[in-house]
Amino acid sequence: MALNRPAISARILAGEHLLIYNRHVLRVPPSWLAAHPGSDLAILHFVGRDATNEIDAFHRDIPQIMRFSIGKLAGDDPWQPLLPPIAAGWSRKDNQWYSAASTFHPDASQVLLVAKDSPAIATAPTLDSLTPPPSTLSLQVQNQHALAYKHLHKRVTDAGLYDTPYFSGYGPEFLRYFLLAVLSFYAYRTGWLFISAVSLGLLWHQLMFFAHDLGHMGVTHDWTYDRLISIIIADFIGGLSIGWWVNNHNIHHLVTNHPSHDPDIEHLPFFAISPKFFSNLYSSYYGRILPFDWASRFFISLQHRLFYIVMLFARFNLYRLSYVSLYKKAFDTKRTRGGRWAWRLEMLGVASFWAWYGGIVLRGCGSWQKALMYMVVSHITTSPLHVQIVLSHFPMSTVDLGPTESFPDRQLRTTSDVICPESVEFIHGGLHLQVAHHLFPRLPRHNLRKASLLIKDFCKEEGLTYAEFGFVKGNKDVVGVLREVAGMVKDLGQQVKLVADVATVEAREAVNKKIAQKEMNHNGNGVMVESH
């Protein structure tokens, strides 16, 4: 059956989740939406859009996806994308539309979300709601880039870059994990608590790269095996929820650097990399407003000075996010069987982590002062990982160019590499090559360098920019962006103060005028009496 844009729009407005894959129109049933391992948001962000590149990038082999096909696109022209309902502030709940936020257009092409005065269930989106603003991009050019990416993907696959280098890649890493664990244990037993804490922190730092690979199904390439191993690494050894991280990270990859949708740049009240966050934006990931309140004004005005200090303690925030997510999943009745066993194992893993780390390691330090030192040192040792993560995105564009933008264009515009010698790549876990990772998220990170060479050729052929810079320059760029936005907060404060001063003067003059009028009336002879 051939389906045109009006027919697809009507079915989306009726509540169906339709997206395009290789010119097939896929209808994702609610049952699969809830069961999707990459979270329902990963699908909702592509309702009404061509998701061919994204589906291929995030899935190894999905022949079963065609069972969702309800027809093919009519004609041969490139699909003119719709704005997904979630991007317009709409969501489905109990088979009804719910307006969670209103759209905000900082310019002609961008669509951000802000607070809605009175959310209503009885209303529904219209065709206008699904019609994106006029795009500054050429649909034909974006379609060409999407097709070229498919050819690039085939080149990467044919080069064998999806094959996991178990011996040459993970062999040295497993040896490194073992040595750090032994050093931490030996130092602890001999009373060298500081060295033990640093070694444990370095172990966590290195293991998180392994957990990252597993979360992307980049090791065994089987969801069950990779999730099981990742729970052992992240939850049992690191105390963090891999389930929360995967959901968070997938959305970051799909809507990179979008102020209303990417949780990896939504850090109020501590950080804002764009003045768009001054508008009390609505976050589709967190399902709430990101308030630009007095705390945000204070911290953001100093964010360029506090950046490294906050990064020292970033791991504690990961605990918070992990445990809030696990708590919410306890009441999620839509979890599939796989989701249930994974959640139970994660809960056991987190409990086991605090049993050995808190109940044995910290308690065995001898005093609360030493235990506090051990906790702080072991956690701040992981901070370079948090700094590294933001280097590839904070200095890059946060502009929303709409659903017309192709997958490769969006990733190249919002992501950059950190240049480093091959001999010290293990310090960065190979993830300094973020461009290749964002274009091919399932790719084993030991093969990212080879993939980056193919990508650079692709960029030259398609006239696209491949951004990369050194570690020092990257840090300067991040601090520079933070400083610039901090200056805007101060300017905004001065403007608010100026408006408030003007309003105060006007109010005082109005009050004085009223007092004078009353006294004039009270005097009875029309003569103004001076008021002291």
Side-chain angles (χ1 to χ4, degrees):
M1 180 173 62
L3 297 169
N4 57 22
R5 197 167 187 268
I8 293 173
S9 302
R11 297 184 69 153
I12 292 175
L13 290 172
E16 296 185 46
H17 304 104
L18 306 184
L19 48 87
I20 314 302
Y21 176 67
N22 285 328
R23 299 197 66 80
H24 281 269
V25 180
L26 305 183
R27 178 187 177 275
V28 181
S31 58
W32 179 245
L33 191 70
H36 185 234
S39 84
D40 59 343
L41 284 176
I43 295 175
L44 294 176
H45 278 297
F46 289 89
V47 171
R49 298 176 59 182
D50 190 327
T52 302
N53 287 165
E54 287 81 358
I55 291 175
D56 287 341
F58 280 82
H59 301 82
R60 181 186 183 185
D61 185 21
I62 45 174
Q64 69 272 23
I65 196 174
M66 296 315 299
R67 74 178 187 268
F68 296 146
S69 176
I70 59 173
K72 299 192 72 173
L73 292 177
D76 299 320
D77 293 333
W79 170 248
Q80 187 176 352
L82 297 167
L83 187 68
I86 192 172
W90 291 93
S91 60
R92 298 281 292 177
K93 184 177 181 181
D94 299 327
N95 293 321
Q96 288 183 302
W97 284 109
Y98 179 78
S99 179
S102 297
T103 56
F104 166 59
H105 302 271
D107 59 36
S109 63
Q110 296 190 68
V111 179
L112 303 179
L113 299 179
V114 293
K116 190 173 182 66
D117 294 333
S118 55
I121 295 179
T123 59
T126 63
L127 183 58
D128 287 341
S129 305
L130 303 186
T131 303
S135 177
T136 58
L137 303 173
S138 166
L139 181 60
Q140 286 69 29
V141 171
Q142 296 302 306
N143 185 61
Q144 164 58 31
H145 291 168
L147 292 174
Y149 171 80
K150 292 185 70 172
H151 294 304
L152 172 64
H153 200 165
K154 187 176 186 306
R155 292 172 62 190
V156 168
T157 304
D158 291 345
L161 298 185
Y162 274 108
D163 298 333
T164 303
Y166 291 110
F167 181 76
S168 61
Y170 285 110
E173 292 204 9
F174 291 158
L175 178 60
R176 192 178 304 122
Y177 305 154
F178 176 75
L179 292 176
L180 287 171
V182 169
L183 177 59
S184 179
F185 178 77
Y186 177 78
Y188 185 86
R189 291 296 298 270
T190 54
W192 303 339
L193 295 183
F194 183 85
I195 295 177
S196 174
V198 170
S199 301
L200 179 59
L202 291 175
L203 175 62
W204 284 340
H205 175 273
Q206 289 292 302
L207 281 176
M208 284 304 100
F209 297 124
F210 186 31
H212 174 275
D213 299 347
L214 293 159
H216 278 293
M217 293 190 296
V219 181
T220 71
H221 309 293
D222 180 276
W223 185 87
T224 302
Y225 294 145
D226 278 356
R227 180 54 60 93
L228 180 60
I229 299 171
S230 65
I231 290 175
I232 295 173
I233 299 298
D235 295 75
F236 281 82
I237 300 178
L240 302 175
S241 167
I242 192 66
W244 157 77
W245 179 85
V246 168
N247 289 347
N248 178 288
H249 197 63
N250 281 339
I251 301 306
H252 159 68
H253 269 269
L254 293 169
V255 286
T256 310
N257 272 22
H258 194 299
S260 284
H261 305 302
D262 182 1
D264 274 15
I265 64 169
E266 296 176 341
H267 298 302
L268 290 179
F270 296 105
F271 298 127
I273 61 173
S274 167
K276 298 183 184 75
F277 288 102
F278 300 171
S279 303
N280 294 317
L281 295 182
Y282 177 86
S283 167
S284 63
Y285 180 83
Y286 292 110
R288 61 176 176 83
I289 297 298
L290 305 174
F292 186 68
D293 51 18
W294 66 268
S296 297
R297 290 187 179 89
F298 173 76
F299 285 113
I300 293 173
S301 67
L302 301 171
Q303 63 179 357
H304 54 299
R305 302 181 187 278
L306 298 176
F307 173 64
Y308 293 106
I309 297 175
V310 173
M311 287 295 102
L312 290 176
F313 301 96
R315 190 176 181 89
F316 291 102
N317 187 50
L318 300 186
Y319 290 139
R320 179 185 67 84
L321 294 170
S322 292
Y323 303 155
V324 168
S325 176
L326 289 172
Y327 174 77
K328 290 181 178 179
K329 284 184 180 180
F331 303 97
D332 184 3
T333 58
K334 296 181 179 180
R335 278 185 291 127
T336 61
R337 179 173 298 179
R340 286 195 292 271
W341 75 254
W343 177 80
R344 290 168 181 162
L345 189 58
E346 285 205 75
M347 293 297 291
L348 176 61
V350 169
S352 299
F353 167 79
W354 286 109
W356 73 261
Y357 180 69
I360 298 177
V361 176
L362 295 182
R363 190 174 180 181
C365 286
S367 68
W368 71 265
Q369 293 93 338
K370 292 181 180 179
L372 179 62
M373 180 277 294
Y374 195 100
M375 172 177 277
V376 171
V377 171
S378 60
H379 281 72
I380 66 175
T381 302
T382 66
S383 60
L385 171 62
H386 308 295
V387 174
Q388 174 190 323
I389 290 172
V390 305
L391 291 186
S392 293
H393 298 293
F394 272 24
M396 304 302 288
S397 174
T398 59
V399 175
D400 169 35
L401 296 184
T404 299
E405 187 175 26
S406 68
F407 173 69
D409 280 58
R410 183 170 60 255
Q411 300 306 329
L412 288 164
R413 180 175 59 84
T414 58
T415 310
S416 61
D417 281 357
V418 177
I419 302 171
C420 83
E422 193 170 356
S423 59
V424 296
E425 280 186 344
F426 74 93
I427 298 176
H428 297 274
L431 293 180
H432 57 294
L433 299 169
Q434 281 286 300
V435 173
H437 173 59
H438 266 251
L439 287 172
F440 303 102
R442 293 183 295 108
L443 210 64
R445 55 187 163 86
H446 307 93
N447 297 333
L448 290 178
R449 180 174 288 278
K450 294 178 181 178
S452 67
L453 300 178
L454 298 177
I455 295 170
K456 289 178 179 179
D457 290 339
F458 161 80
C459 289
K460 291 178 181 178
E461 295 167 1
E462 299 299 320
L464 296 170
T465 301
Y466 189 111
E468 57 182 354
F469 43 69
F471 185 79
V472 174
K473 184 180 184 302
N475 276 269
K476 289 181 179 178
D477 288 347
V478 168
V479 174
V481 168
L482 296 176
R483 182 184 292 110
E484 182 179 359
V485 176
M488 294 178 185
V489 172
K490 293 179 180 179
D491 292 341
L492 181 64
Q494 292 174 354
Q495 293 175 11
V496 171
K497 184 178 184 301
L498 178 61
V499 171
D501 290 343
V502 171
T504 301
V505 172
E506 291 177 346
R508 187 182 298 117
E509 290 178 350
V511 170
N512 289 339
K513 187 179 291 186
K514 287 183 179 180
I515 293 174
Q517 185 64 42
K518 286 182 179 180
E519 292 180 344
M520 233 171 72
N521 294 338
H522 181 72
N523 191 41
N525 55 11
V527 178
M528 184 177 292
V529 179
E530 184 178 1
S531 176
H532 296 279

